[in-house]
mmCIF file of all heavy atoms in Angstrom:
data_model
loop_
_atom_site.group_PDB
_atom_site.id
_atom_site.type_symbol
_atom_site.label_atom_id
_atom_site.label_comp_id
_atom_site.label_asym_id
_atom_site.label_seq_id
_atom_site.Cartn_x
_atom_site.Cartn_y
_atom_site.Cartn_z
ATOM 1 N N THR J 180 -25.735 10.579 8.810
ATOM 2 C CA THR J 180 -26.858 11.449 8.438
ATOM 3 C C THR J 180 -28.043 10.688 7.828
ATOM 4 O O THR J 180 -29.047 11.308 7.476
ATOM 5 C CB THR J 180 -26.398 12.524 7.425
ATOM 6 O OG1 THR J 180 -25.893 11.877 6.245
ATOM 7 C CG2 THR J 180 -25.315 13.409 8.021
ATOM 8 N N THR J 181 -27.943 9.371 7.727
ATOM 9 C CA THR J 181 -29.019 8.580 7.129
ATOM 10 C C THR J 181 -30.315 8.729 7.922
ATOM 11 O O THR J 181 -30.319 8.644 9.147
ATOM 12 C CB THR J 181 -28.627 7.092 7.063
ATOM 13 O OG1 THR J 181 -27.579 6.935 6.117
ATOM 14 C CG2 THR J 181 -29.795 6.226 6.628
ATOM 15 N N GLY J 182 -31.406 8.968 7.216
ATOM 16 C CA GLY J 182 -32.721 9.052 7.840
ATOM 17 C C GLY J 182 -33.035 10.381 8.492
ATOM 18 O O GLY J 182 -34.105 10.539 9.091
ATOM 19 N N LEU J 183 -32.120 11.335 8.394
ATOM 20 C CA LEU J 183 -32.350 12.644 9.003
ATOM 21 C C LEU J 183 -32.746 13.664 7.946
ATOM 22 O O LEU J 183 -32.344 13.565 6.791
ATOM 23 C CB LEU J 183 -31.081 13.118 9.722
ATOM 24 C CG LEU J 183 -30.534 12.205 10.833
ATOM 25 C CD1 LEU J 183 -29.249 12.804 11.404
ATOM 26 C CD2 LEU J 183 -31.564 11.994 11.935
ATOM 27 N N ASP J 184 -33.537 14.664 8.352
ATOM 28 C CA ASP J 184 -33.912 15.717 7.419
ATOM 29 C C ASP J 184 -32.688 16.590 7.132
ATOM 30 O O ASP J 184 -31.689 16.547 7.874
ATOM 31 C CB ASP J 184 -35.053 16.557 8.004
ATOM 32 C CG ASP J 184 -34.644 17.267 9.289
ATOM 33 O OD1 ASP J 184 -33.979 18.309 9.209
ATOM 34 O OD2 ASP J 184 -34.987 16.766 10.385
ATOM 35 N N PRO J 185 -32.727 17.382 6.047
ATOM 36 C CA PRO J 185 -31.538 18.155 5.643
ATOM 37 C C PRO J 185 -30.987 19.081 6.722
ATOM 38 O O PRO J 185 -29.765 19.204 6.863
ATOM 39 C CB PRO J 185 -32.034 18.956 4.432
ATOM 40 C CG PRO J 185 -33.146 18.120 3.869
ATOM 41 C CD PRO J 185 -33.817 17.498 5.058
ATOM 42 N N ILE J 186 -31.865 19.726 7.490
ATOM 43 C CA ILE J 186 -31.396 20.656 8.522
ATOM 44 C C ILE J 186 -30.676 19.901 9.637
ATOM 45 O O ILE J 186 -29.593 20.286 10.077
ATOM 46 C CB ILE J 186 -32.570 21.476 9.092
ATOM 47 C CG1 ILE J 186 -33.129 22.405 8.007
ATOM 48 C CG2 ILE J 186 -32.134 22.283 10.310
ATOM 49 C CD1 ILE J 186 -34.376 23.155 8.404
ATOM 50 N N THR J 187 -31.280 18.792 10.095
ATOM 51 C CA THR J 187 -30.663 17.994 11.153
ATOM 52 C C THR J 187 -29.364 17.362 10.661
ATOM 53 O O THR J 187 -28.381 17.283 11.401
ATOM 54 C CB THR J 187 -31.631 16.904 11.645
ATOM 55 O OG1 THR J 187 -32.865 17.512 12.024
ATOM 56 C CG2 THR J 187 -31.059 16.159 12.843
ATOM 57 N N SER J 188 -29.344 16.922 9.402
ATOM 58 C CA SER J 188 -28.121 16.359 8.822
ATOM 59 C C SER J 188 -26.985 17.372 8.872
ATOM 60 O O SER J 188 -25.849 17.038 9.241
ATOM 61 C CB SER J 188 -28.357 15.932 7.374
ATOM 62 O OG SER J 188 -29.237 14.845 7.308
ATOM 63 N N LYS J 189 -27.295 18.606 8.523
ATOM 64 C CA LYS J 189 -26.284 19.665 8.546
ATOM 65 C C LYS J 189 -25.766 19.884 9.962
ATOM 66 O O LYS J 189 -24.563 20.085 10.182
ATOM 67 C CB LYS J 189 -26.864 20.963 7.980
ATOM 68 C CG LYS J 189 -25.841 22.074 7.815
ATOM 69 C CD LYS J 189 -26.443 23.295 7.160
ATOM 70 C CE LYS J 189 -25.402 24.397 6.990
ATOM 71 N NZ LYS J 189 -25.980 25.628 6.381
ATOM 72 N N GLU J 190 -26.671 19.833 10.948
ATOM 73 C CA GLU J 190 -26.268 20.006 12.344
ATOM 74 C C GLU J 190 -25.323 18.887 12.787
ATOM 75 O O GLU J 190 -24.337 19.136 13.489
ATOM 76 C CB GLU J 190 -27.516 20.037 13.246
ATOM 77 C CG GLU J 190 -28.363 21.291 13.075
ATOM 78 C CD GLU J 190 -29.663 21.219 13.852
ATOM 79 O OE1 GLU J 190 -29.990 20.119 14.380
ATOM 80 O OE2 GLU J 190 -30.355 22.242 13.955
ATOM 81 N N ILE J 191 -25.633 17.660 12.375
ATOM 82 C CA ILE J 191 -24.776 16.519 12.741
ATOM 83 C C ILE J 191 -23.405 16.660 12.097
ATOM 84 O O ILE J 191 -22.367 16.399 12.721
ATOM 85 C CB ILE J 191 -25.441 15.187 12.330
ATOM 86 C CG1 ILE J 191 -26.719 14.933 13.141
ATOM 87 C CG2 ILE J 191 -24.462 14.023 12.469
ATOM 88 C CD1 ILE J 191 -26.492 14.698 14.614
ATOM 89 N N ILE J 192 -23.376 17.085 10.834
ATOM 90 C CA ILE J 192 -22.108 17.281 10.129
ATOM 91 C C ILE J 192 -21.248 18.327 10.840
ATOM 92 O O ILE J 192 -20.045 18.134 11.053
ATOM 93 C CB ILE J 192 -22.362 17.692 8.664
ATOM 94 C CG1 ILE J 192 -22.972 16.523 7.889
ATOM 95 C CG2 ILE J 192 -21.071 18.158 7.998
ATOM 96 C CD1 ILE J 192 -23.573 16.922 6.552
ATOM 97 N N GLU J 193 -21.870 19.440 11.227
ATOM 98 C CA GLU J 193 -21.129 20.495 11.930
ATOM 99 C C GLU J 193 -20.644 20.008 13.289
ATOM 100 O O GLU J 193 -19.562 20.381 13.751
ATOM 101 C CB GLU J 193 -22.015 21.745 12.092
ATOM 102 C CG GLU J 193 -22.304 22.469 10.790
ATOM 103 C CD GLU J 193 -21.028 22.947 10.089
ATOM 104 O OE1 GLU J 193 -20.076 23.350 10.782
ATOM 105 O OE2 GLU J 193 -20.987 22.906 8.846
ATOM 106 N N LEU J 194 -21.450 19.150 13.923
ATOM 107 C CA LEU J 194 -21.074 18.594 15.219
ATOM 108 C C LEU J 194 -19.847 17.694 15.089
ATOM 109 O O LEU J 194 -18.920 17.762 15.900
ATOM 110 C CB LEU J 194 -22.253 17.808 15.798
ATOM 111 C CG LEU J 194 -22.112 17.257 17.212
ATOM 112 C CD1 LEU J 194 -21.797 18.367 18.204
ATOM 113 C CD2 LEU J 194 -23.394 16.533 17.615
ATOM 114 N N ILE J 195 -19.819 16.872 14.046
ATOM 115 C CA ILE J 195 -18.661 16.005 13.803
ATOM 116 C C ILE J 195 -17.408 16.849 13.571
ATOM 117 O O ILE J 195 -16.325 16.537 14.083
ATOM 118 C CB ILE J 195 -18.931 15.079 12.600
ATOM 119 C CG1 ILE J 195 -20.048 14.075 12.946
ATOM 120 C CG2 ILE J 195 -17.663 14.332 12.193
ATOM 121 C CD1 ILE J 195 -20.529 13.266 11.752
ATOM 122 N N LYS J 196 -17.548 17.927 12.823
ATOM 123 C CA LYS J 196 -16.413 18.827 12.576
ATOM 124 C C LYS J 196 -15.910 19.454 13.873
ATOM 125 O O LYS J 196 -14.697 19.537 14.107
ATOM 126 C CB LYS J 196 -16.821 19.933 11.599
ATOM 127 C CG LYS J 196 -16.882 19.504 10.146
ATOM 128 C CD LYS J 196 -17.260 20.665 9.242
ATOM 129 C CE LYS J 196 -16.220 21.757 9.237
ATOM 130 N NZ LYS J 196 -16.606 22.893 8.349
ATOM 131 N N SER J 197 -16.838 19.903 14.715
ATOM 132 C CA SER J 197 -16.441 20.567 15.954
ATOM 133 C C SER J 197 -15.772 19.590 16.919
ATOM 134 O O SER J 197 -14.841 19.955 17.646
ATOM 135 C CB SER J 197 -17.652 21.230 16.621
ATOM 136 O OG SER J 197 -18.553 20.272 17.139
ATOM 137 N N ILE J 198 -16.231 18.326 16.911
ATOM 138 C CA ILE J 198 -15.633 17.303 17.775
ATOM 139 C C ILE J 198 -14.196 17.014 17.339
ATOM 140 O O ILE J 198 -13.289 16.899 18.163
ATOM 141 C CB ILE J 198 -16.492 16.021 17.762
ATOM 142 C CG1 ILE J 198 -17.758 16.253 18.592
ATOM 143 C CG2 ILE J 198 -15.717 14.819 18.291
ATOM 144 C CD1 ILE J 198 -18.816 15.212 18.404
ATOM 145 N N GLN J 199 -13.980 16.920 16.017
ATOM 146 C CA GLN J 199 -12.624 16.709 15.515
ATOM 147 C C GLN J 199 -11.711 17.852 15.942
ATOM 148 O O GLN J 199 -10.576 17.633 16.384
ATOM 149 C CB GLN J 199 -12.627 16.596 13.992
ATOM 150 C CG GLN J 199 -11.234 16.361 13.414
ATOM 151 C CD GLN J 199 -11.103 16.784 11.950
ATOM 152 O OE1 GLN J 199 -11.855 17.634 11.480
ATOM 153 N NE2 GLN J 199 -10.170 16.190 11.245
ATOM 154 N N LYS J 200 -12.218 19.074 15.844
ATOM 155 C CA LYS J 200 -11.419 20.247 16.178
ATOM 156 C C LYS J 200 -11.110 20.305 17.672
ATOM 157 O O LYS J 200 -9.987 20.594 18.081
ATOM 158 C CB LYS J 200 -12.163 21.514 15.740
ATOM 159 C CG LYS J 200 -11.359 22.795 15.897
ATOM 160 C CD LYS J 200 -12.118 23.979 15.325
ATOM 161 C CE LYS J 200 -11.308 25.259 15.435
ATOM 162 N NZ LYS J 200 -12.046 26.435 14.888
ATOM 163 N N LYS J 201 -12.106 19.990 18.499
ATOM 164 C CA LYS J 201 -11.950 20.105 19.953
ATOM 165 C C LYS J 201 -11.097 18.983 20.530
ATOM 166 O O LYS J 201 -10.220 19.218 21.360
ATOM 167 C CB LYS J 201 -13.321 20.111 20.632
ATOM 168 C CG LYS J 201 -13.243 20.253 22.150
ATOM 169 C CD LYS J 201 -14.634 20.394 22.758
ATOM 170 C CE LYS J 201 -14.530 20.564 24.280
ATOM 171 N NZ LYS J 201 -15.868 20.735 24.900
ATOM 172 N N TYR J 202 -11.343 17.745 20.070
ATOM 173 C CA TYR J 202 -10.697 16.582 20.677
ATOM 174 C C TYR J 202 -9.548 16.016 19.840
ATOM 175 O O TYR J 202 -8.896 15.074 20.275
ATOM 176 C CB TYR J 202 -11.727 15.483 20.931
ATOM 177 C CG TYR J 202 -12.739 15.845 21.994
ATOM 178 C CD1 TYR J 202 -14.012 16.291 21.643
ATOM 179 C CD2 TYR J 202 -12.416 15.757 23.346
ATOM 180 C CE1 TYR J 202 -14.937 16.630 22.618
ATOM 181 C CE2 TYR J 202 -13.334 16.090 24.316
ATOM 182 C CZ TYR J 202 -14.592 16.523 23.948
ATOM 183 O OH TYR J 202 -15.510 16.869 24.917
ATOM 184 N N LYS J 203 -9.339 16.579 18.655
ATOM 185 C CA LYS J 203 -8.293 16.084 17.751
ATOM 186 C C LYS J 203 -8.486 14.593 17.440
ATOM 187 O O LYS J 203 -7.519 13.839 17.311
ATOM 188 C CB LYS J 203 -6.895 16.315 18.349
ATOM 189 C CG LYS J 203 -6.609 17.761 18.740
ATOM 190 C CD LYS J 203 -6.557 18.667 17.516
ATOM 191 C CE LYS J 203 -6.066 20.057 17.865
ATOM 192 N NZ LYS J 203 -7.076 20.904 18.481
ATOM 193 N N THR J 204 -9.740 14.168 17.339
ATOM 194 C CA THR J 204 -10.032 12.767 17.046
ATOM 195 C C THR J 204 -9.669 12.431 15.600
ATOM 196 O O THR J 204 -9.649 13.287 14.722
ATOM 197 C CB THR J 204 -11.525 12.459 17.249
ATOM 198 O OG1 THR J 204 -12.310 13.408 16.516
ATOM 199 C CG2 THR J 204 -11.916 12.504 18.703
ATOM 200 N N SER J 205 -9.395 11.158 15.397
ATOM 201 C CA SER J 205 -9.209 10.625 14.047
ATOM 202 C C SER J 205 -10.499 9.897 13.706
ATOM 203 O O SER J 205 -10.950 9.054 14.486
ATOM 204 C CB SER J 205 -8.026 9.650 14.011
ATOM 205 O OG SER J 205 -6.875 10.236 14.588
ATOM 206 N N SER J 206 -11.101 10.199 12.572
ATOM 207 C CA SER J 206 -12.428 9.666 12.281
ATOM 208 C C SER J 206 -12.522 9.064 10.889
ATOM 209 O O SER J 206 -11.955 9.580 9.932
ATOM 210 C CB SER J 206 -13.494 10.769 12.406
ATOM 211 O OG SER J 206 -13.500 11.325 13.704
ATOM 212 N N ILE J 207 -13.257 7.944 10.816
ATOM 213 C CA ILE J 207 -13.661 7.364 9.536
ATOM 214 C C ILE J 207 -15.162 7.533 9.442
ATOM 215 O O ILE J 207 -15.905 7.107 10.331
ATOM 216 C CB ILE J 207 -13.280 5.880 9.442
ATOM 217 C CG1 ILE J 207 -11.759 5.711 9.505
ATOM 218 C CG2 ILE J 207 -13.805 5.273 8.134
ATOM 219 C CD1 ILE J 207 -11.300 4.265 9.573
ATOM 220 N N ILE J 208 -15.602 8.171 8.382
ATOM 221 C CA ILE J 208 -17.029 8.443 8.183
ATOM 222 C C ILE J 208 -17.505 7.653 6.978
ATOM 223 O O ILE J 208 -17.078 7.914 5.848
ATOM 224 C CB ILE J 208 -17.309 9.953 7.990
ATOM 225 C CG1 ILE J 208 -16.803 10.764 9.191
ATOM 226 C CG2 ILE J 208 -18.795 10.184 7.776
ATOM 227 C CD1 ILE J 208 -15.503 11.477 8.973
ATOM 228 N N ILE J 209 -18.352 6.669 7.232
ATOM 229 C CA ILE J 209 -18.957 5.891 6.161
ATOM 230 C C ILE J 209 -20.223 6.615 5.733
ATOM 231 O O ILE J 209 -21.113 6.875 6.556
ATOM 232 C CB ILE J 209 -19.329 4.474 6.659
ATOM 233 C CG1 ILE J 209 -18.093 3.743 7.192
ATOM 234 C CG2 ILE J 209 -20.011 3.673 5.559
ATOM 235 C CD1 ILE J 209 -17.051 3.442 6.181
ATOM 236 N N THR J 210 -20.328 6.977 4.473
ATOM 237 C CA THR J 210 -21.508 7.721 4.047
ATOM 238 C C THR J 210 -21.740 7.566 2.548
ATOM 239 O O THR J 210 -20.838 7.191 1.799
ATOM 240 C CB THR J 210 -21.356 9.224 4.388
ATOM 241 O OG1 THR J 210 -22.589 9.907 4.118
ATOM 242 C CG2 THR J 210 -20.248 9.884 3.576
ATOM 243 N N HIS J 211 -22.974 7.805 2.139
ATOM 244 C CA HIS J 211 -23.264 7.960 0.710
ATOM 245 C C HIS J 211 -23.789 9.369 0.456
ATOM 246 O O HIS J 211 -24.252 9.685 -0.638
ATOM 247 C CB HIS J 211 -24.287 6.910 0.243
ATOM 248 C CG HIS J 211 -25.621 7.046 0.894
ATOM 249 N ND1 HIS J 211 -25.966 6.357 2.029
ATOM 250 C CD2 HIS J 211 -26.694 7.809 0.583
ATOM 251 C CE1 HIS J 211 -27.194 6.691 2.388
ATOM 252 N NE2 HIS J 211 -27.650 7.576 1.530
ATOM 253 N N ASP J 212 -23.715 10.219 1.502
ATOM 254 C CA ASP J 212 -24.207 11.597 1.450
ATOM 255 C C ASP J 212 -23.096 12.494 0.904
ATOM 256 O O ASP J 212 -22.125 12.805 1.589
ATOM 257 C CB ASP J 212 -24.618 12.023 2.866
ATOM 258 C CG ASP J 212 -25.214 13.425 2.918
ATOM 259 O OD1 ASP J 212 -24.994 14.213 1.983
ATOM 260 O OD2 ASP J 212 -25.886 13.737 3.920
ATOM 261 N N ILE J 213 -23.241 12.911 -0.332
ATOM 262 C CA ILE J 213 -22.197 13.686 -1.000
ATOM 263 C C ILE J 213 -22.010 15.052 -0.347
ATOM 264 O O ILE J 213 -20.888 15.576 -0.279
ATOM 265 C CB ILE J 213 -22.494 13.831 -2.525
ATOM 266 C CG1 ILE J 213 -21.215 14.197 -3.281
ATOM 267 C CG2 ILE J 213 -23.600 14.813 -2.784
ATOM 268 C CD1 ILE J 213 -20.213 13.088 -3.365
ATOM 269 N N ASP J 214 -23.089 15.638 0.182
ATOM 270 C CA ASP J 214 -22.970 16.926 0.874
ATOM 271 C C ASP J 214 -22.186 16.779 2.171
ATOM 272 O O ASP J 214 -21.400 17.659 2.533
ATOM 273 C CB ASP J 214 -24.356 17.505 1.158
ATOM 274 C CG ASP J 214 -25.083 17.915 -0.115
ATOM 275 O OD1 ASP J 214 -24.414 18.423 -1.036
ATOM 276 O OD2 ASP J 214 -26.309 17.723 -0.198
#
Side-chain angles (χ1 to χ4, degrees):
T180 60
T181 291
L183 302 178
D184 62 80
I186 293 174
T187 306
S188 293
K189 187 176 181 182
E190 290 173 350
I191 294 294
I192 292 166
E193 291 301 324
L194 186 57
I195 293 171
K196 283 181 65 180
S197 70
I198 286 167
Q199 181 203 24
K200 186 175 182 181
K201 181 174 181 179
Y202 293 100
K203 305 294 189 281
T204 52
S205 309
S206 301
I207 297 174
I208 302 102
I209 302 295
T210 187
H211 64 267
D212 183 340
I213 200 71
D214 292 323

